[in-house]
Amino acid sequence: MTIVYQVITACVIGLVGWNLFRERRLTEQMTAVLVLLPLLLRVLMIK
Amino acid sequence: MTREKRTFGRWWTAVLLLALVAGILIVVSHDFMSMRVDPPIYPGSGVTEIRALSDYFGGIAGTAADTDVYILQGDEPGGTALVLGGTHPNEPAASITAIVLVENARVERGRLIVIPRANRSAFTCTEPQEGYPQTYTIETPTGVREFRYGSRGTNPIDQWPDPVIYINAAGQPLAGAEVRNLNRSYPGDPDGNLTERLAYAIVELIRAEDVNIAVDLHEASPEYPVINAIVAHEDALSIAAEAALFLELVGVQIGVERSPENLRGLSHREWGDATDTLALLVEAPNAAQGRLRGRTDVDLIVQGADPYYVRAAERGLLYVPFSAEGHPLDERVGRHLQTVAMLLEVYNSYSDEAIVVSNVPTLASMLDEGLGTYLAPPADGAS
């Protein structure tokens, strides 16, 4: 079950990262990295 | 009229922001990962062997649930007692009591087995949305010892996900989050989730070591009815009652509760049913756990004083007296130590297989000299 969770989280990280580089508004880019932070902590099983 | 889009963002701003996230990730990861390092315990001269719990059941080897088992073997043969602390790491007096035993007690007859961090995984996180500090400190005469304030349940990193309804190995339906609660998982399941395997390992230890009397140390919030109490399996009820009587005579007010037969999965029920041991659980008052508490900080954990609990006591809402002095950790650990010592004393009066343990601080000595006096100084001078 945990591996399914990690795969889903990794997919969301990929999509948010893709959006981060496509986005032309700085505020939206900042929002994207704020979303990335907890997702990275999750996928790395740190928190 | 259409609003013009701002276009300050470029590929290099994205890279800069990613670098910022990486920096934050490194800092917070260091903080979170440090919670997985066990604060040191300094075994006293009474400890004759340190084993791993996985020696009794290999199903937890290499997991976050494996924990140290301290064995204090006396010179003369006798019975075996088990003291468990840290079942719920948000109940610090339990774990600290076990640590004081490991660092001070000496066994003259029989054997004492102590597990200070029964649910080691639960020491690596705190309860979400409760605002608990990750650590608390206790001053010793030559330095400061730091201890971890943990969670009631196994870290979700180690066991996930929680079901909606949890039916434990004993068949008791419980709320889903209880699936990570060690004291709802007995007698355990060798093929179950991590917490159930941990519970199984503890029961295997009780069986393998022929434990005669086993005490599971806990704390409870002051508004919880079962507090300042010994909860006893029916086989251990007479010992608990006699110990409570003698404790009253030395100024330790404590009640006795019979372990309910229809609430399954708890240590005082399942240890007694699944093994030959005399199963007991002891509770002390911890304001930091309560729903009525105010500011939640290290002082609340260590000093145990809270103005909201004083007001609650004035209104008769609590099950323990609660004055402005509160219930400091010194008192709660002293109560636990004296209760364990008294339970063993009463057990010895009825058994040929006595367990004689010396150098256990009393409640009075804890209150007079302070808990720090009975903790070994930190190896580095100031942990």
Side-chain angles (χ1 to χ4, degrees), chain B residues 4 38 53 64 100 119 129 131 134 141 146 152-153 167-168 197 202 213 238 242 268 272 313 322 343 349 368 379:
Chain B
E4 191 179 336
D38 296 332
L53 186 59
V100 169
N119 190 350
Q129 302 181 350
Q134 293 179 355
E146 187 178 81
R152 187 173 173 81
I167 299 174
N168 67 19
R197 281 182 282 143
I202 291 168
I213 178 169
S238 56
E242 194 169 327
H268 48 76
F322 207 103
L343 285 167
S349 66
D368 287 346

Side-chain angles (χ1 to χ4, degrees), chain A residues 1-6 17 20-34 36-38 40-42 44-47, chain B residues 5-15 17-18 20-22 24-25 28-29 32-33 35-36 124-126 156-158 160-161:
Chain A
M1 189 67 89
T2 303
I3 191 69
V4 173
Y5 176 74
Q6 283 179 294
L20 171 68
F21 279 92
R22 282 181 60 90
E23 185 56 62
R24 289 290 166 259
R25 281 171 293 186
L26 186 60
T27 50
E28 296 297 319
Q29 283 186 324
M30 291 165 75
T31 305
V33 293
L34 279 176
L36 276 180
L37 192 56
L40 287 166
L41 286 169
R42 288 284 187 195
L44 297 172
M45 300 299 281
I46 293 168
K47 182 65 179 173
Chain B
K5 278 187 177 176
R6 292 184 178 174
T7 56
F8 299 127
R10 296 285 188 275
W11 68 268
W12 57 267
T13 55
V15 172
L17 287 167
L18 271 182
L20 181 68
V21 162
I24 295 171
L25 198 66
V28 298
S29 297
F32 289 137
M33 297 303 278
M35 292 184 75
R36 299 185 198 176
T124 64
C125 64
T126 50
I157 288 287
D158 300 319
W160 182 88

Side-chain angles (χ1 to χ4, degrees), chain B residues 83-106:
Chain B
V83 175
L84 207 69
T87 293
H88 296 147
N90 61 337
E91 299 166 9
S95 176
I96 297 293
T97 300
I99 291 171
V100 169
L101 285 172
V102 167
E103 297 187 355
N104 294 271
R106 283 193 287 274

Side-chain angles (χ1 to χ4, degrees), chain B residues 52 67 102-103 147 172 197 207 239 274 285-286 304 306 342 375:
Chain B
T67 189
V102 167
E103 297 187 355
F147 299 94
Q172 178 78 47
R197 281 182 282 143
R207 287 188 185 122
I239 284 177
N286 174 22
D306 183 292
M342 189 61 80
L375 289 169

Side-chain angles (χ1 to χ4, degrees), chain B residues 36-169:
Chain B
R36 299 185 198 176
V37 179
D38 296 332
I41 294 173
Y42 305 101
S45 59
V47 175
T48 51
E49 188 183 359
I50 302 172
R51 302 187 72 175
L53 186 59
S54 58
D55 292 347
Y56 298 93
F57 173 58
I60 59 164
T63 70
D66 200 2
T67 189
D68 288 336
V69 177
Y70 295 84
I71 297 173
L72 292 79
Q73 177 74 55
D75 291 333
E76 294 179 46
T80 299
L82 170 69
V83 175
L84 207 69
T87 293
H88 296 147
N90 61 337
E91 299 166 9
S95 176
I96 297 293
T97 300
I99 291 171
V100 169
L101 285 172
V102 167
E103 297 187 355
N104 294 271
R106 283 193 287 274
V107 177
E108 291 161 21
R109 188 173 170 192
R111 182 171 49 166
L112 175 66
I113 300 174
V114 186
I115 305 179
R117 287 188 274 249
N119 190 350
R120 187 165 146 260
S121 165
F123 280 90
T124 64
C125 64
T126 50
E127 299 280 340
Q129 302 181 350
E130 294 284 347
Y132 286 125
Q134 293 179 355
T135 58
Y136 59 96
T137 53
I138 298 168
E139 282 187 33
T140 75
T142 54
V144 176
R145 291 274 298 269
E146 187 178 81
F147 299 94
R148 199 159 300 294
Y149 195 86
S151 167
R152 187 173 173 81
T154 302
N155 191 333
I157 288 287
D158 300 319
Q159 183 184 310
W160 182 88
D162 293 352
V164 177
I165 303 288
Y166 169 51
I167 299 174
N168 67 19

Side-chain angles (χ1 to χ4, degrees), chain B residues 268-279:
Chain B
H268 48 76
R269 167 56 39 204
E270 304 303 336
W271 290 357
D273 283 1
T275 75
D276 295 329
T277 199
L278 299 169

